[in-house]
Amino acid sequence: MKVNGKQFRTIRVQKGDDKVIQVINQPLLPHKFEIMDILSCREMAKAIENMNVRGAGLIGAAAGYGMYLATIEASRQRDFDSHLEKAAEMLVATRPTATNLSWAVKRQLKAINKAEGLADKVKAAFDTANAIADEDAECGRKIGEHGLPILKEIADRKNGEPVNILTHCNAGWLALVDYGSATAPIYAAQEAGIPLHIWVDETRPRNQGSRLTAWEMEQAGIPYTIIADNTGGHLMQHNMVDICITGTDRVTRTGDVANKIGTYLKALAAKDNKIPFYVALPSSTFDWEIRDGIKEIPVEQRSDEEVKYAFGLYNGQMTKVLLTPPEAKAANYAFDVTPSRLVTALITERGICQPNEESILNLFPEQR
Ligand code: MRU
């Protein structure tokens, strides 16, 4: 993705110093584009927990680099294994819903344990972190390729009218290493000359839609309109949405989908209005161990402050303002689960499948 015309990824190794990992400090967007240096596994864990880096794919890549930094640190300790184990636990505990996090940590532990000698272990961790990041970006690109025909078919029916796509949260370039998941077909359609218009759910309480997706659309020059979270149903009733595409943080082997809180309500409204509801994901987001999303996917609960306060630009300064009675109680469930029956299909890097075990496993036979 380009930022002010310059090619960027959401995470990278600093040129000239491969012990420094650089990420975009996302809470400052869209007002400030700042690169943040991460020098230790603990700093990476904090960056994930505080959502300086966020989005399932990017969290996975960040955890990969976090494990690499932990390996450097562990190689200076007396007990390499126990240091690494603690680092893995610390990273996994930061955000419980996105499965990419534990997937990346497990992949790192396997690669590091296989290598012999400290220098080789550090090298294995570095190579694996880079591979996770590269694969995530490539998954985004392929999701775009596979999703494009869906948008093309709608565009053909609309005779030059823009395809209206509703998306929730930020499943864009900022949520993966590149391209995004839900936005990848959008970028591919833009490149194919398909006229588009994106309905961007603001996505309270962290406003990933109105801050991040809107900024991405600006950067890409794609027409969009931000809507308050409760608007989607009304738009769908009035034929103003052709398709919903969201990302996801965890998908069961049966096709239940966890995503940012509010996704389920959009899927219900889409079903009621016969609007296709697609979910885009890299396969690192499948949790192959579970079948029942509502019972088995852990839903992260975050600080009530995120609900009670808004954070934005005031007089040129990033400012936090209280919205509620100071002593008000607030609940902050960060994700919900959309049952597979409400999902039209899943768009993955290997192609499109139905949200059921048989169809998913046809695409990923190694998980049978
Ligand atoms: O809490 P966040 O901002 O990390 O939540 C992100 C989402 O819910 C995205 O939609 C999800 O990660 C899918 S895109 C990779």
Side-chain angles (χ1 to χ4, degrees):
M1 156 115 183
K2 285 194 173 139
V3 180
N4 302 326
K6 208 174 146 202
Q7 195 66 39
F8 264 94
R9 276 186 173 189
T10 53
I11 192 161
R12 66 183 183 200
V13 178
Q14 184 178 294
K15 268 200 192 121
D17 187 351
D18 62 13
K19 292 183 181 57
V20 180
I21 306 304
Q22 298 188 307
V23 298
I24 298 163
N25 193 358
Q26 296 200 19
L28 300 185
L29 287 171
H31 307 298
K32 200 169 171 201
F33 183 78
E34 181 188 271
I35 301 292
M36 191 176 163
D37 288 350
I38 296 190
L39 308 175
S40 69
C41 178
R42 187 167 295 279
E43 281 182 20
M44 186 63 89
K46 272 276 153 263
I48 296 171
E49 194 173 315
N50 296 338
M51 294 173 64
N52 303 94
V53 290
R54 42 138 310 275
L58 178 56
I59 293 175
Y65 283 111
M67 286 300 288
Y68 156 61
L69 294 173
T71 313
I72 300 174
E73 293 153 14
S75 64
R76 298 186 197 121
Q77 304 290 322
R78 223 178 287 154
D79 190 344
F80 180 94
D81 288 341
S82 92
H83 186 90
L84 205 65
E85 213 173 285
K86 281 194 194 121
E89 277 167 20
M90 174 172 69
L91 285 166
V92 170
T94 52
R95 300 210 61 195
T97 302
T99 203
N100 304 60
L101 187 52
S102 52
W103 168 84
V105 168
K106 275 187 210 142
R107 183 165 162 182
Q108 275 288 30
L109 285 173
K110 206 167 157 194
I112 297 162
N113 287 335
K114 228 165 107 187
E116 306 259 348
L118 293 181
D120 281 356
K121 284 183 187 289
V122 172
K123 184 176 180 319
F126 184 63
D127 292 347
T128 306
N130 287 333
I132 290 171
D134 288 349
E135 286 166 26
D136 189 72
E138 181 57 8
C139 281
R141 195 188 65 73
K142 286 190 178 148
I143 289 168
E145 261 178 32
H146 295 301
L148 173 61
I150 300 167
L151 297 182
K152 187 159 183 333
E153 198 212 295
I154 298 172
D156 289 345
R157 270 192 270 126
K158 292 199 74 177
N159 279 327
E161 287 293 307
V163 178
N164 286 301
I165 302 165
L166 184 140
T167 190
H168 190 67
C169 194
N170 172 260
W173 163 74
L174 290 163
L176 259 70
V177 173
D178 208 347
Y179 297 97
S181 50
T183 54
I186 294 174
Y187 293 136
Q190 182 196 32
E191 244 180 69
I194 293 173
L196 301 165
H197 168 259
I198 317 301
W199 293 112
V200 176
D201 277 353
E202 65 174 345
T203 319
R204 283 278 297 147
R206 292 281 299 220
N207 293 89
Q208 289 94 329
S210 54
R211 294 191 304 103
L212 305 178
T213 308
W215 179 77
E216 289 174 340
M217 293 298 122
E218 293 266 334
Q219 294 296 323
I222 298 173
Y224 70 93
T225 307
I226 298 168
I227 46 175
D229 283 331
N230 299 326
T231 312
H234 169 77
L235 298 178
M236 292 186 212
Q237 286 173 326
H238 291 271
N239 294 323
M240 293 161 83
V241 178
D242 297 304
I243 181 172
C244 302
I245 314 180
T246 73
T248 167
D249 290 79
R250 193 185 291 233
V251 177
T252 64
R253 63 189 286 131
T254 57
D256 292 343
V257 166
N259 193 46
K260 182 53 55 193
I261 193 79
T263 303
Y264 169 51
L265 294 180
K266 296 299 137 63
L268 279 173
K271 186 76 164 179
D272 194 42
N273 291 283
K274 299 186 177 53
I275 289 161
F277 189 94
Y278 281 86
V279 176
L281 66 145
S283 57
S284 48
T285 303
F286 279 111
D287 183 340
W288 301 107
E289 306 295 315
I290 59 172
R291 289 197 146 73
D292 184 331
I294 293 167
K295 280 201 189 125
E296 295 179 271
I297 297 178
V299 169
E300 176 182 359
Q301 290 189 56
R302 296 184 60 85
S303 161
D304 65 350
E305 295 233 328
E306 293 181 351
V307 175
K308 292 174 67 174
Y309 290 81
F311 185 61
L313 196 65
Y314 178 70
N315 276 347
Q317 295 293 322
M318 292 304 286
T319 310
K320 194 173 157 184
V321 294
L322 179 64
L323 301 170
T324 64
E327 302 310 325
K329 263 197 184 166
N332 189 3
Y333 294 90
F335 298 93
D336 61 23
V337 175
T338 299
S340 59
R341 65 175 185 280
L342 301 179
V343 176
T344 306
L346 304 171
I347 312 171
T348 78
E349 76 273 15
R350 290 207 193 157
I352 292 175
C353 59
Q354 302 310 302
N356 62 62
E357 192 163 3
E358 192 49 34
S359 180
I360 293 171
L361 294 181
N362 281 343
L363 220 46
F364 297 93
E366 69 278 18
Q367 301 296 340
R368 275 191 193 279

